[in-house]
């Protein structure tokens, strides 16, 4: 059943990187906005007469916490009508029409296999939600690996927070990968995400749930490589951006 459209109010905005912003949205008519980590909301933005050209969907970056506030992390697309509106017109206090939660890009009921959460850019959003949720609720799990690809150090969303989570949460590993940096700190990689999960699993191939989130070309390549490593299509879950 589809959730009704509701009014959300922007209560806080922060720049995350040069081209990425964090938006906190409160849904006043609900005491608690309940969702599963990995789900998304759809915004109906006043950018076109036709409904389907106004709708933009974004994964929820915060973990469910019993409140009516969610966080979205959004990258500005040069020619994107939706993101240009969000970056140029929306301020604290702006009301937005939204619907959700939606989507089935969610954790298994019981986490019996390792989780490899592979993403680029704002594709980190659903995985940040999942990681904090597992930690806060002490959900039994195997190893969890977030493999997060971006271009430069300054593009790395939630970096310090995920490094801290790695210290606080046994079995959780954070692997940032930079495609446009020559030197990286310990625990980080240069290049692309594919080399990292291949290396981790070459040493010790075991049962894995792969979750992929980001741009289509990254996801297409990851699917091919994961299947080439001997995994099956049913081991791969994906959420496509753009």
């Amino acid at each position: 059943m589809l959730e009704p459209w509701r009014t959300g109010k922007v209560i806080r905005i922060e720049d995350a990187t040069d081209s990425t912003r964090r938006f906190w949205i409160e849904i006043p008519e609900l005491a608690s906005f309940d969702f599963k980590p990995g789900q998304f909301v759809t915004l109906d933005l006043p950018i076109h007469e036709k409904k389907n050209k106004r709708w933009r969907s974004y994964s929820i970056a915060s973990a469910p916490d019993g409140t009516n506030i969610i966080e979205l992390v959004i990258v500005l697309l040069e020619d994107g009508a939706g993101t240009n509106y969000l970056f140029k017109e929306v301020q604290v206090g702006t009301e937005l029409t939204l619907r959700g939660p939606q989507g089935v890009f969610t954790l298994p009921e019981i986490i019996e296999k390792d989780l490899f959460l592979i993403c680029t850019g704002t594709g980190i959003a659903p995985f940040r939600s999942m990681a904090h949720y597992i930690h806060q609720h002490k959900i039994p799990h195997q190893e969890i690996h977030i493999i997060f690809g971006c271009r430069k150090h300054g593009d790395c969303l939630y970096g310090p927070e995920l490094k801290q989570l790695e210290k606080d949460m046994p079995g959780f590993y954070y692997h940032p990968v930079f495609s446009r940096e020559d030197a990286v700190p310990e625990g980080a990689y240069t290049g692309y995400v594919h080399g990292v999960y291949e290396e981790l699993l070459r040493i010790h191939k075991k049962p894995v749930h792969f979750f992929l989130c980001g741009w289509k070309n990254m996801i297409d390549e990851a699917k091919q490589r994961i299947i080439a490593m001997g995994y099956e299509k049913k081991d791969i879950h994906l959420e496509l951006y753009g």
Side-chain angles (χ1 to χ4, degrees), residues 101-153:
Q102 296 164 271
V104 293
F105 187 68
T106 52
L107 291 163
E109 290 294 317
I110 299 169
I111 306 173
E112 294 176 307
K113 301 179 182 179
D114 285 7
L115 298 179
F116 272 62
L117 312 176
I118 302 162
C119 57
T120 47
T122 52
I124 188 73
F127 300 150
R128 178 191 184 231
S129 179
M130 289 175 185
H132 281 297
Y133 181 80
I134 290 167
H135 181 51
Q136 287 159 8
H137 293 271
K138 298 185 170 48
I139 292 165
H141 60 86
Q142 307 300 316
E143 286 186 5
I144 302 170
H145 296 269
I146 287 187
I147 301 166
F148 173 36
C150 50
R151 288 179 179 173
K152 296 183 108 27
H153 295 309

Side-chain angles (χ1 to χ4, degrees), residues 219-232:
I219 285 180
D220 288 347
E221 187 173 341
K223 276 194 303 192
Q224 289 171 350
R225 287 179 180 236
I226 289 164
I227 285 164
M229 289 160 69
Y231 290 96
E232 295 178 43

Side-chain angles (χ1 to χ4, degrees), residues 2-11 23-30 32-35 40-46 54-58 60 68-72 74 86 90 94-102:
L2 216 50
E3 290 288 327
W5 290 100
R6 304 182 191 277
T7 300
K9 187 176 176 185
V10 177
I11 59 165
F23 294 84
W24 284 263
I25 301 169
E26 182 179 25
I27 300 99
E29 69 192 74
L30 297 175
S32 173
F33 185 83
D34 299 320
F35 64 96
F40 63 88
V41 291
T42 298
L43 305 182
D44 184 353
L45 302 172
R54 296 200 306 256
W55 293 352
R56 299 290 186 276
S57 296
Y58 299 102
I60 302 169
N68 61 355
I69 296 167
I70 56 170
E71 181 188 333
L72 306 179
I74 296 170
L86 288 164
V90 170
T94 299
E95 292 191 335
L96 296 170
T97 302
L98 61 85
R99 179 161 73 192
Q102 296 164 271

Side-chain angles (χ1 to χ4, degrees), residues 174-236:
Y174 167 60
H175 311 277
V177 193
F178 300 97
S179 62
R180 304 267 175 95
E181 295 284 3
D182 298 326
V184 294
E186 193 182 343
Y189 299 77
T190 55
Y192 295 94
V193 292
H194 311 293
V196 180
Y197 59 78
E198 286 176 336
E199 186 184 320
L200 289 167
L201 289 164
R202 191 172 60 241
I203 302 160
H204 189 32
K205 185 172 183 287
K206 44 190 178 172
V208 174
H209 276 301
F210 294 93
F211 284 78
L212 313 175
C213 189
W215 298 106
K216 184 177 185 304
N217 50 6
M218 182 280 280
I219 285 180
D220 288 347
E221 187 173 341
K223 276 194 303 192
Q224 289 171 350
R225 287 179 180 236
I226 289 164
I227 285 164
M229 289 160 69
Y231 290 96
E232 295 178 43
K233 272 195 176 142
K234 66 176 174 53
D235 299 323
I236 304 170

